[in-house]
């Protein structure tokens, strides 16, 4: 069974909603990302303690006509891509960013 | 024994850009003269200055060719350096010092960096843009080098007051944005008028075969604006302030893409 994936926003970012989109700026290198409406829903739901699968099931699959496995695959690709830029923190355990007790991969 | 003339020799110049008076102290009167000439129209006779900088001149030939600007926050001070200068500014004491060789370009860079830091806290910014006042309103013309900033300045009709052809100074006051004249010039090599006016529109420049204006908004406008905002510091708090300002600016000021042929008629389109 695939382990759960927990996701937290990096502290070194600035993010603001703009219409249906979300703009995210890396404070470390000023790279700018624009998230579309669906990605914005995921972004807003990331709380470091709710597994990504649960977020996708509750927030995406109930709102959009998409199968859970397909939506989850896309969501994982999104968060892993953003994590590579230091925008998100990923872990197989709930993340406590301030304590840093989880094994966090970027 | 020093003469009386030497004893009362001038040792400082106050340069006031955007209503921010900065006192520059230096024991080299030749350099002070250079500063007065370089910032003509922005030299204040006021003895009051919000900020004090002591300039130490290094011997000629001591500057390195490193063009990378490095701005960091360390122990309560901003440290700014490039191959030709090292500067430090303490926001608490409002004092700082600059080490550079005797050329006004290094000082110009330090002042630009300093103003980006000051403006960020006030919701303003410096923008790679020419700007001008016409009929009481300011227009910003932004773009990368070669996009047409100086061309727009050259094509300006006589009733237009040019604020700069290179770096625009944008301030926020009571939810409104104002463009303010600067001495920061580009190819035109002319200091801008020391005036201000509310910003009516930001035009993103592109040269083309016809004159065309296309409104842009949302994320695209923010992205385009941020691409041209001058900021050097990488501290998260600072980046967030600039980011928030860009989003607020785009929500309040129309942003348009202006494709233009380089002739005077382009100004007729700007309303």
């Amino acid at each position: 069974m695939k382990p759960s994936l927990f996701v937290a926003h990096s502290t070194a970012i600035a993010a603001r909603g703009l219409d249906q989109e979300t703009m995210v700026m890396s404070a470390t290198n000023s790279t700018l990302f624009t998230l579309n409406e669906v990605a914005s829903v995921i972004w807003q739901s990331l709380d470091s303690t709710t597994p990504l699968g649960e977020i996708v099931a509750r927030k995406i699959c109930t709102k959009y006509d998409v199968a859970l496995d397909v939506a989850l695959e896309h969501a994982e690709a999104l968060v892993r891509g953003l994590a590579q830029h230091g925008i998100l923190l990923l872990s197989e355990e709930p993340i406590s960013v301030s304590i840093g007790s989880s094994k966090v991969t970027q | 024994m020093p003469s009386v003339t030497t004893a009362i020799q001038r040792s400082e110049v106050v340069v006031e850009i955007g209503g921010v008076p900065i006192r520059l102290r230096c024991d080299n009167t030749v350099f002070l003269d250079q500063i007065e000439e370089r910032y003509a129209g922005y030299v204040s006779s006021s003895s009051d200055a919000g900020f004090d900088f002591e300039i130490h001149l290094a011997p000629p030939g001591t500057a390195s060719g490193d063009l990378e600007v490095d701005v960091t926050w360390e122990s309560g001070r901003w440290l700014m350096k490039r191959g030709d200068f090292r500067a430090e500014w303490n926001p608490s004491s409002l004092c700082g010092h600059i080490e550079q060789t005797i050329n006004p370009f290094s000082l110009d860079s330090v002042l630009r960096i300093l103003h980006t830091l000051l403006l960020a806290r006030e919701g303003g910014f410096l923008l790679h843009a020419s700007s001008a006042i016409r009929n009481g309103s300011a227009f910003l013309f932004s773009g990368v080098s070669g996009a047409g900033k100086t061309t727009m300045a050259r094509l300006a009709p006589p009733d237009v007051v040019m604020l700069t052809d290179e770096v625009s100074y944008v301030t926020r006051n009571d939810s409104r944005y104002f463009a303010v004249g600067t001495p920061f010039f580009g190819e035109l090599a002319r200091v801008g008028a020391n005036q201000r006016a509310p910003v009516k529109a930001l035009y993103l420049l592109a040269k083309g075969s016809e004159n065309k204006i296309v409104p842009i908004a949302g994320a695209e406008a923010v992205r385009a604006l941020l691409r041209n905002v001058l900021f050097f510091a990488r501290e998260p708090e600072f980046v967030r302030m600039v980011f928030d300002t860009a989003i607020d600016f785009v929500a309040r000021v129309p942003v348009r893409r202006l494709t233009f042929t380089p002739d005077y008629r382009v100004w007729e389109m700007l309303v």
Side-chain angles (χ1 to χ4, degrees):
Chain A
M1 186 182 156
K2 206 171 173 184
S4 296
L5 187 60
F6 296 87
V7 189
H9 298 148
S10 163
T11 54
I13 56 140
R16 299 290 179 266
L18 206 63
D19 301 326
Q20 302 276 303
E21 299 177 323
T22 301
M23 298 198 74
V24 185
M25 191 174 196
S26 163
T28 50
N29 59 15
S30 303
T31 313
L32 201 57
F33 300 86
T34 307
L35 307 182
N36 65 18
E37 179 186 339
V38 181
S40 295
V41 172
I42 295 172
W43 175 270
Q44 288 156 14
S45 305
L46 299 173
D47 61 3
S48 74
T49 57
T50 306
L52 182 63
E54 194 177 320
I55 290 171
V56 171
R58 282 206 319 231
K59 303 280 185 170
I60 302 299
C61 293
T62 55
K63 190 173 178 185
Y64 303 95
D65 183 19
V66 60
L68 176 60
D69 57 339
V70 174
L72 188 54
E73 185 184 338
H74 288 185
E76 281 200 17
L78 169 75
V79 298
R80 289 190 189 284
L82 291 175
Q84 282 181 349
H85 290 280
I87 299 294
L88 292 174
L89 307 174
L90 308 184
S91 173
E92 293 177 4
E93 302 166 22
I95 300 170
S96 174
V97 175
S98 57
I99 299 170
S101 57
S102 296
K103 179 186 167 194
V104 174
T105 55
Q106 287 190 23
Chain B
M1 177 181 163
S3 70
V4 173
T5 311
T6 306
I8 60 169
Q9 215 165 35
R10 189 169 48 105
S11 61
E12 63 183 47
V13 173
V14 176
V15 175
E16 185 168 343
I17 303 166
V20 179
I22 298 174
R23 178 180 289 113
L24 302 167
R25 299 179 195 275
C26 184
D27 58 10
N28 186 314
T29 53
V30 172
F31 188 54
L32 290 174
D33 289 343
Q34 282 186 12
I35 294 173
E36 283 203 336
E37 188 181 344
R38 167 66 187 85
Y39 298 102
Y42 292 85
V43 173
S44 172
S45 56
S46 167
S47 58
D48 295 329
F51 305 93
D52 274 273
F53 276 83
E54 192 79 40
I55 301 174
H56 303 284
L57 294 178
T62 52
S64 86
D66 183 7
L67 297 177
E68 190 74 30
V69 176
D70 186 33
V71 179
T72 52
W73 174 254
E74 199 175 299
S75 307
R77 303 160 302 158
W78 285 106
L79 305 178
M80 313 163 224
K81 63 179 177 181
R82 197 173 61 186
D84 57 328
F85 66 79
R86 296 175 70 87
E88 184 179 313
W89 178 57
N90 184 328
S92 299
S93 67
L94 305 179
C95 295
H97 68 262
I98 303 166
E99 289 176 41
Q100 61 162 93
T101 53
I102 184 164
N103 78 77
F105 304 110
S106 302
L107 176 62
D108 210 68
S109 297
V110 173
L111 289 178
R112 291 183 194 203
I113 295 168
L114 181 64
H115 278 284
T116 65
L117 299 173
L118 295 171
L119 278 167
R121 296 207 172 276
E122 306 294 326
F125 51 89
L126 293 186
L127 185 67
H128 282 295
S130 53
S131 47
I133 299 175
R134 193 176 203 190
N135 298 326
S137 296
F139 300 89
L140 302 168
F141 306 102
S142 186
V144 294
S145 184
K149 298 188 293 290
T150 302
T151 305
M152 286 301 294
R154 287 200 174 108
L155 294 171
D159 65 313
V160 168
V161 176
M162 286 311 302
L163 299 175
T164 174
D165 74 323
E166 177 70 10
V167 176
S168 290
Y169 197 106
V170 179
T171 62
R172 187 180 164 174
N173 192 353
D174 289 338
S175 305
R176 294 177 79 192
Y177 287 91
F178 291 79
V180 184
T182 79
F184 305 132
F185 53 71
E187 286 175 43
L188 216 53
R190 196 190 307 154
V191 168
N194 195 351
Q195 297 183 28
R196 75 197 289 260
V199 177
K200 191 165 187 181
L202 163 63
Y203 291 96
L204 304 167
L205 297 177
K207 286 178 180 167
S209 56
E210 59 176 343
N211 291 334
K212 190 170 63 176
I213 293 176
V214 179
I216 64 171
E220 186 187 358
V222 173
R223 190 180 288 273
L225 173 61
L226 283 171
R227 209 175 286 140
N228 292 301
V229 169
L230 276 78
F231 65 105
F232 306 92
R234 298 296 176 213
E235 276 57 33
E237 183 197 0
F238 183 85
V239 172
R240 283 190 195 100
M241 286 187 287
V242 174
F243 183 61
D244 283 341
T245 295
I247 287 181
D248 185 71
F249 180 89
V250 164
R252 296 176 190 279
V253 177
V255 181
R256 300 167 183 143
R257 195 171 302 284
L258 170 62
T259 307
F260 73 105
T261 57
D263 74 50
Y264 69 95
R265 283 172 296 184
V266 64
W267 275 91
E268 294 172 3
M269 300 172 65
L270 310 178
V271 289

